[in-house]
Structures are given as C-alpha cells and as structure tokens.
Amino acid sequence: MALNCRIEKDGSLTVSSGTAYLIRNMYPGIDGHSLHVIRIIKEENKVVWETVHGKVACSLHEEEESFELEFSLDNYTGPIHTLYFFYQADIRAEGFYQAAEGMGGDTGYYGKNSMLERGTIVSYGLCSLKLPGGHALTIYPVSQKHYETVCEVNARENVKYTDGSGKHSTETELSLSVGARMENTGREQVIFERLRFLLTPSMEEGLEKAAEEIGRNMSARLLMPPAYHWCSWYYCYQNFDRIQLKEYLEGFSQLECSKEIRYFQLDVGYCTSIGDWLEPGERFPEGLEEAFQEIKKAGYIPGIWVGAFMVGNRSRLYGEHPDWVLHDWEGNPIRPWITDNEPKPWGYQDEEYYCLDTSHPEAMAYMKHVFTTLRKWGAGMFKTDFMLWGLQDSSRVKRYNPGKTSIEYYREYLQMIREAIGEDSYWLGCIAPFLPFVGYADGMRIGGDVGSSWDGEFGPQNMMRCLTGNNYTNHRYYQTDPDAVMLRDFQIRLTERETESLALLAAVSGSCIYTSDPLHKIAPARQKLFDFIRPDKRRKPSLPFLSEERPEIVMVHKENNKGLIYILNKSEADFYYAYDIGKLGFTPDWHIFRLKTGRKEELWKNNLVVSIPPHGCRLFILSREEQIIPDYESLWNNLQ
C-alpha cells in the first residue's frame, strides 16, 4: 500500500492510501484551538499559515511507504505552550496504540469500544493507528531532544439519524492531535524535528521501526550486557545495613545460582538525609566506599540508588542552599512529596521533599561531585529514582536560569550524570520519563513496584500491561525492567503457580532480571529457577496479538530453527484457546513440546490448543527436529 500526503486548497493536509483517506482536515493549532490564519501561502510540497503573530510552515518530504512533515516557526512572537502540528484532525481507525510518558503510565492497544469508554487518550512520543484492513500508521518525530511530543486521540459517538419510531443510528467519530510542548519558552525561530508517518502491514512492525529510528537518532545505549543482579530493596527495603551486607555476601558465596550475578545494588537508606548522598548514615557508618570494596571482593560490581532530583527539607543540602531547589511563581518550593503524616518514607523525618533546580550551576556542580565521588568509591551500577520529578513544565516553575524547555534541562542533567559515572557504568532509570533518557540509560523501569501478592496495590497488573505496552522500546531505547522477580518461599502470598508465571514472564520478555530475596535462604528449587531465567544475551520477543485486547499475554521467540512460545493467563478465569500456528509465526511442520513435561503437543487442525488456569502459564519449545531433550538448567539453551 502506498502512502500519500497532499495539501488541499484550504491549506489543510490529507493523508491517504489508495482512494481512502486516513487522516484529513490536518490543520495546526495552539493551546487548545485551531490556528487563526490571516493568509495561506501554498508552494510545491510546502504550505505556510500566516497569523498576526507570525508564520507556521510545513514542508512535505515523501517516500513510498512513509513521508515526513517538517514544521517550523518564523518570526512568531505570540506565547505558545503547545504547538499542535495538526489539531483534532479526522481519522479512520479501528484502534489506537498509546505510548506511556514514563514508568507505570497507561500504555498499549485500545479498540474502538475502549476508546469510546475513555473518551480521550494521550500518547507520548509516538502513536499508532490500526487501519481498516489491518495495516498500521505510526506517527512520530524522528528525534526528540528538545520538546515533549503529545498525541491525543478523542472518540465520541455521533447520532447519524433518527427514524419515526425513535430508533437512531450512531457512528464513532475519531480525531487526532499531535504537537510539541514548547512551554512558553518564547522562541521566534524554530525548525522542529521531522514528523514521520509510516505505513506498515502490522502495528508491531510500525512500532519497532519507529523505536529503532528514534533510538538510532538519539544514540541509544545498547552496548551493555543484559542486567542480572541483586537489589536490596524488595525484601529488606531501607533497612539493609552493613551487618546484612556481610551475611548476604557470605551466603551468596556458597551458591551456584549467584555466581553469574553481575551487580549487587544497595538501595535507599544508606545516607543521613535525602540529598546528603555522601554523608554516611547509621546503617553504613563506615561509609559507602568500604561497602563497595566488600562487594567488589565478593566478585560483584557495586550498585547504588540515588534520588537524583530529591531534596529533603531536613537535609543539610536544603538548610544551606534553599535556592538550589525549584520554586513556583509565588516563591514557594515545588513539593512533589508532602510527608507530614504517617507513614514516613524510608525512616527519615523530612516533612517535605523538594525538587533540585538543575539550571542552578552550583546545584549541578554539587550533583556532579556526588556522582563522581560514588564512581571513585567503586560504584559501577547506578539506579536513579523518582526521575519524573525533574520533568517540571518550564512555564509553571521559576528556574534560576530560565529559557529552556523541561526536556532540554533534563537532558543536560542526564549528560552530566553520564559523564560523571563513565561510559562503562550500567545506569538504570526509575520512575522516569522514557524518551528523555534515550542515549543515557542502559535500563529503564517500565511498570509500578511489584510485591508479595497478586492482588492489591503492589500486584503485577500494572507491570504486565507496561511490559507488553513498552515491548517495542526494549533493546531499541534501552533494556526494559519489569521490576524484581519474587523468588522467596516464605513471607509471601504469591502461589507457586504465580511465582513461576511472573519469573518466566520477566525472562521471556528479554528484560532485566534481578531479585531482592535472600538467595542463600530460599528453597533450592527457587534458586534453580533464578539460575534458569538468567539472560545470556540481548533478546526480544514478538507479540503476535499486540493490536488486540485479550485476556492473555503471548510472547514468541524464533531463531536457529528453534522457537519458544510463552502464554500467560493474567485473568481470574480459566483460559481455553486454539491458536492458529501460522499467527504465532510458525508452520504446521514444526514440532511442539511443552517445556515443563517434555511432552510433545499435537496440533488440532493446525491449531495449538491450550488450557491455562488463572495466573498460570504455558511455555513451549518448537523445533524442526522430531525429538528434543529440554534443557532445564538454562531457558535460553532451548534455542540453541
């Protein structure tokens, strides 16, 4: 299918394929309304919309399956928070793919009914439309270093007609707006990154190509080995101390499953106050340098947690430098966290937490000293947390040095951190905006914290949606991180079935693999499970049902005439389904074996029939060979 874009007589743009339009009435907008134009100038492959404040222009660059629109501002003097390249344009689509802004954000595919239920869906950085017939149109700026891109779809039911009996017919009306947040930075001359429109046979292919191009243009870091580590948070939380450090390192030294662990990461609780990162607290009175040396002697790379934008109101940092934090226009500190009630986070007494103003050169110099010192002491893995705090809209806060967008301030800060920690350190972003981190982070938390039960605030539901929803970014922007694998067989409410399902999900997804459980105390079978899911290289599954709303997760790997099919029933009911083997990427001449039993599965009319209880999973090995011997020591050996 060829993709075309044309400039209409009224100055609007229309995107079409063949004789059918895909998007029409594409017209610029500013801050929630269409552009008020006094004159339209049309040239070959270019249109200029002239207003009383200046000009907005668009140039068209066409290819066969894609085209690019290059927007610019010329002598524009009016205030702009969000410039919409097109505002509330009509679209023809069967579904919409939403990209999250950051960790835990809504993401994934929505069909028409779900779009109507939500009314408005905001996607960040890119979006994709499922077209009638199954093709997909993916829309994205090819690089995103200066402005946050927002894609907003609106859905409503419109009454077409009502007959004499009172019956009426309705149709779903969809509109799409795509724009860049300029945050009133007052720029008269801007040439924006080109906006690409890409037509592909499937939505997954479109998202993959978009992420690959964005990652390439933003110098994504894809050089580090996949993460396989231990973190102190999800079992000990802020209570981990030097006594437990010695116990864990000694206990791990006796285990086979811990020999390949790469990083041993200390989480929050090590310093006197949030912001005073280098001052030793009571849990590590000798300081982090000594702790790092112990970790290195045990054969691991030391890792450390830092809330890089966080400043506690009781910290020495704030007491001595209150001007180093962001303020609102009334002069009050920006307070992302107010903690003057119980429970107190992490055992600290701070009643408020502020956000560092990285436009202040002295604040920037201080944090450079912090990260440089941690690196000098021996840290080679850094987890920076609560990073969304730093993405403060420049139109809503008072900065020491104003004039840039939040994205620009943000990436300047990340650049400083990367220079301080070195190119060979593994950097994991957490509670972070996704796209600003491309080019700096090696790994990225994508879902909310998981805990010791399937239900409740820390259940895996958000993680599962975010893991599939952000699969297209995995090993394109960085390695995705679904959070810790729960392995312990005590003080936990996950069942054996749930524990296995979630561990295998993390592994098959090709994401970071780590735990916080005391490996030296858990059952041998759980130790073996941790070793079984250990990554061997960068891998990424395909999601054959990405553009459908379904009760299960299906992930597929295929290489070396071998394959893996993983199916997780995330619902509360028994799941029964017959999969057309072709839709899973295989042909009927492949032989299928269930990994757990080694039993060969026979196809029924070219369908793989599965029955899975709630929260359970099935993992199949596929091979060209009629007989195989499953490898129960390493998951990935089954693809060799």
Side-chain angles (χ1 to χ4, degrees):
M1 294 175 64
L3 188 65
N4 303 296
C5 181
R6 66 178 180 270
I7 303 171
E8 305 289 3
K9 291 181 180 180
D10 63 357
S12 68
L13 304 177
T14 299
V15 178
S16 60
S17 179
T19 59
Y21 86 87
L22 305 179
I23 312 178
R24 67 183 179 187
N25 297 322
M26 297 171 64
Y27 208 76
I30 291 179
D31 297 342
H33 59 79
S34 296
L35 198 66
H36 299 305
V37 177
I38 59 175
R39 187 169 64 144
I40 297 172
I41 304 170
K42 289 177 57 179
E43 303 173 9
E44 185 178 1
N45 292 330
K46 184 176 182 179
V47 59
V48 179
W49 300 278
E50 189 173 336
T51 76
V52 295
H53 297 292
K55 299 175 182 178
V56 180
C58 174
S59 299
L60 171 62
H61 307 269
E62 288 190 292
E63 301 174 16
E64 184 176 349
E65 294 182 347
S66 70
F67 65 86
E68 294 176 338
L69 298 179
E70 185 175 64
F71 289 85
S72 62
L73 291 177
D74 185 19
N75 293 320
Y76 199 94
T77 57
I80 302 177
H81 182 275
T82 303
L83 173 67
Y84 290 99
F85 305 131
F86 54 94
Y87 182 69
Q88 294 188 349
D90 301 321
I91 60 174
R92 293 178 68 241
E94 298 298 320
F96 180 78
Y97 200 87
Q98 177 190 30
E101 179 182 32
M103 190 194 94
D106 287 343
T107 184
Y109 176 79
Y110 300 87
K112 273 190 177 179
N113 289 337
S114 295
M115 294 166 69
L116 281 168
E117 287 176 10
R118 294 171 66 91
T120 299
I121 302 173
V122 180
S123 185
Y124 295 86
L126 59 76
C127 67
S128 190
L129 308 177
K130 184 177 180 180
L131 306 176
H135 280 63
L137 179 64
T138 305
I139 306 169
Y140 58 98
V142 297
S143 180
Q144 304 186 34
K145 298 180 180 180
H146 300 280
Y147 308 101
E148 185 170 47
T149 301
V150 288
C151 310
E152 182 177 301
V153 68
N154 288 279
R156 68 186 183 95
E157 252 184 359
N158 186 40
V159 177
K160 291 180 66 177
Y161 66 85
T162 303
D163 61 21
S165 66
K167 294 181 179 180
H168 60 270
S169 174
T170 63
E171 64 178 358
T172 301
E173 291 187 350
L174 303 174
S175 66
L176 178 66
S177 306
V178 175
R181 289 182 174 169
M182 300 184 65
E183 301 174 1
N184 297 343
T185 46
R187 296 172 182 181
E188 297 182 11
Q189 309 285 342
V190 181
I191 299 177
F192 295 92
E193 297 284 358
R194 291 186 177 187
L195 189 68
R196 184 181 293 280
F197 293 69
L198 176 64
L199 184 66
T200 52
S202 72
M203 186 170 278
E204 183 174 42
E205 182 181 343
L207 292 170
E208 294 280 346
K209 287 185 174 181
E212 185 176 3
E213 182 174 14
I214 293 169
R216 181 174 62 252
N217 291 336
M218 296 181 70
S219 303
R221 286 178 55 87
L222 305 176
L223 69 158
M224 300 295 281
Y228 184 64
H229 62 278
W230 186 87
C231 163
S232 65
W233 178 251
Y234 298 91
Y235 182 68
C236 299
Y237 298 93
Q238 73 270 16
N239 303 306
F240 195 72
D241 56 23
R242 70 186 191 282
I243 296 174
Q244 291 177 90
L245 175 63
K246 293 180 184 294
E247 176 208 328
Y248 275 58
L249 291 177
E250 182 178 343
F252 283 18
S253 68
Q254 310 300 316
L255 301 178
E256 193 68 28
C257 69
S258 66
K259 290 182 179 179
E260 299 298 328
I261 290 177
R262 185 171 178 82
Y263 307 110
F264 191 103
Q265 183 234 312
L266 306 180
D267 221 276
V268 66
Y270 59 84
C271 59
T272 55
S273 187
I274 297 301
D276 301 333
W277 305 110
L278 302 180
E279 297 185 14
E282 62 183 8
R283 295 183 182 90
F284 289 92
E286 297 88 356
L288 287 178
E289 185 171 15
E290 181 173 304
F292 290 165
Q293 292 306 312
E294 289 187 42
I295 293 169
K296 290 178 76 171
K297 287 178 183 176
Y300 307 115
I301 298 172
I304 191 64
W305 179 98
V306 182
F309 285 102
M310 303 181 78
V311 179
N313 71 300
R314 290 185 179 234
S315 67
R316 185 165 64 86
L317 171 65
Y318 181 70
E320 295 178 359
H321 304 286
D323 57 322
W324 287 8
V325 303
L326 284 175
H327 290 75
D328 62 24
W329 292 107
E330 284 72 46
N332 304 306
I334 299 297
R335 299 176 293 178
W337 240 9
I338 298 175
T339 55
D340 54 11
N341 210 335
E342 59 181 318
K344 288 285 188 181
W346 310 322
Y348 293 115
Q349 296 187 51
D350 303 86
E351 291 86 3
E352 298 178 344
Y353 285 90
Y354 308 134
C355 183
L356 197 73
D357 181 1
T358 60
S359 77
H360 197 302
E362 293 179 15
M364 184 76 96
Y366 168 71
M367 290 307 296
K368 182 177 182 179
H369 172 67
V370 167
F371 281 103
T372 301
T373 302
L374 292 171
R375 170 66 177 177
K376 181 181 177 182
W377 286 350
M381 185 266 189
F382 294 82
K383 176 184 177 182
T384 58
D385 208 349
F386 290 84
M387 297 299 283
L388 269 167
W389 285 25
L391 202 66
Q392 299 287 340
D393 190 325
S394 291
S395 69
R396 298 177 181 175
V397 296
K398 184 178 179 180
R399 298 185 189 272
Y400 184 85
N401 280 318
K404 300 177 182 178
T405 68
S406 58
I407 298 293
E408 291 168 328
Y409 287 115
Y410 202 94
R411 286 181 63 83
E412 286 179 357
Y413 190 46
L414 299 188
Q415 177 67 28
M416 179 279 291
I417 294 175
R418 174 51 75 183
E419 290 174 359
I421 67 177
E423 291 295 324
D424 57 340
S425 289
Y426 189 98
W427 185 357
L428 176 64
C430 191
I431 312 184
F434 292 151
L435 276 163
F437 253 102
V438 178
Y440 298 108
D442 302 289
M444 180 61 63
R445 268 287 300 282
I446 43 83
D449 282 11
V450 297
S452 59
S453 65
W454 190 275
D455 301 313
E457 181 182 357
F458 299 106
Q461 289 75 19
N462 176 262
M463 177 274 289
M464 290 187 292
R465 182 165 181 83
C466 291
L467 188 61
T468 53
N470 292 288
N471 181 65
Y472 71 95
T473 72
N474 195 16
H475 304 306
R476 297 291 186 270
Y477 295 167
Y478 26 60
Q479 184 181 20
T480 56
D481 170 15
D483 210 6
V485 175
M486 296 289 170
L487 296 167
R488 60 185 182 269
D489 51 327
F490 46 84
Q491 295 158 358
I492 195 166
R493 282 159 285 161
L494 290 172
T495 65
E496 186 79 24
R497 177 193 300 165
E498 293 165 346
T499 298
E500 180 182 63
S501 293
L502 295 175
L504 291 177
L505 173 64
V508 176
S509 72
S511 301
C512 300
I513 298 295
Y514 61 96
T515 189
S516 293
D517 290 324
L519 292 172
H520 55 302
K521 295 181 179 180
I522 66 176
R526 300 295 179 90
Q527 295 174 357
K528 190 173 181 180
L529 176 60
F530 189 56
D531 202 30
F532 178 73
I533 63 176
R534 172 168 49 91
D536 62 343
K537 65 178 184 180
R538 289 182 174 271
R539 297 178 185 272
K540 186 173 183 300
S542 63
L543 305 180
F545 304 106
L546 178 77
S547 57
E548 297 181 29
E549 296 177 285
R550 300 173 67 98
E552 89 279 28
I553 294 173
V554 181
M555 294 182 172
V556 175
H557 289 267
K558 188 177 181 182
E559 58 184 77
N560 300 324
N561 286 320
K562 294 285 184 68
L564 291 176
I565 297 175
Y566 171 83
I567 306 169
L568 168 64
N569 176 13
K570 59 183 181 178
S571 75
E572 303 302 314
D574 289 329
F575 177 78
Y576 180 85
Y577 197 79
Y579 293 96
D580 182 336
I581 196 67
K583 291 186 177 180
L584 297 176
F586 300 91
T587 53
D589 57 329
W590 284 73
H591 303 281
I592 306 173
F593 305 85
R594 186 174 168 190
L595 178 63
K596 195 165 190 177
T597 63
R599 186 186 69 197
K600 187 173 181 179
E601 301 284 327
E602 299 296 337
L603 295 178
W604 175 75
K605 296 183 178 180
N606 294 334
N607 289 281
L608 173 63
V609 180
V610 298
S611 177
I612 310 175
H615 311 170
C617 72
R618 295 289 182 266
L619 183 57
F620 300 97
I621 307 171
L622 290 88
S623 175
R624 295 285 192 181
E625 301 173 6
E626 291 191 20
Q627 296 295 328
I628 65 165
I629 301 176
D631 191 312
Y632 297 108
E633 302 299 320
S634 169
L635 169 64
W636 301 112
N637 284 346
N638 290 292
L639 286 182
Q640 302 301 320

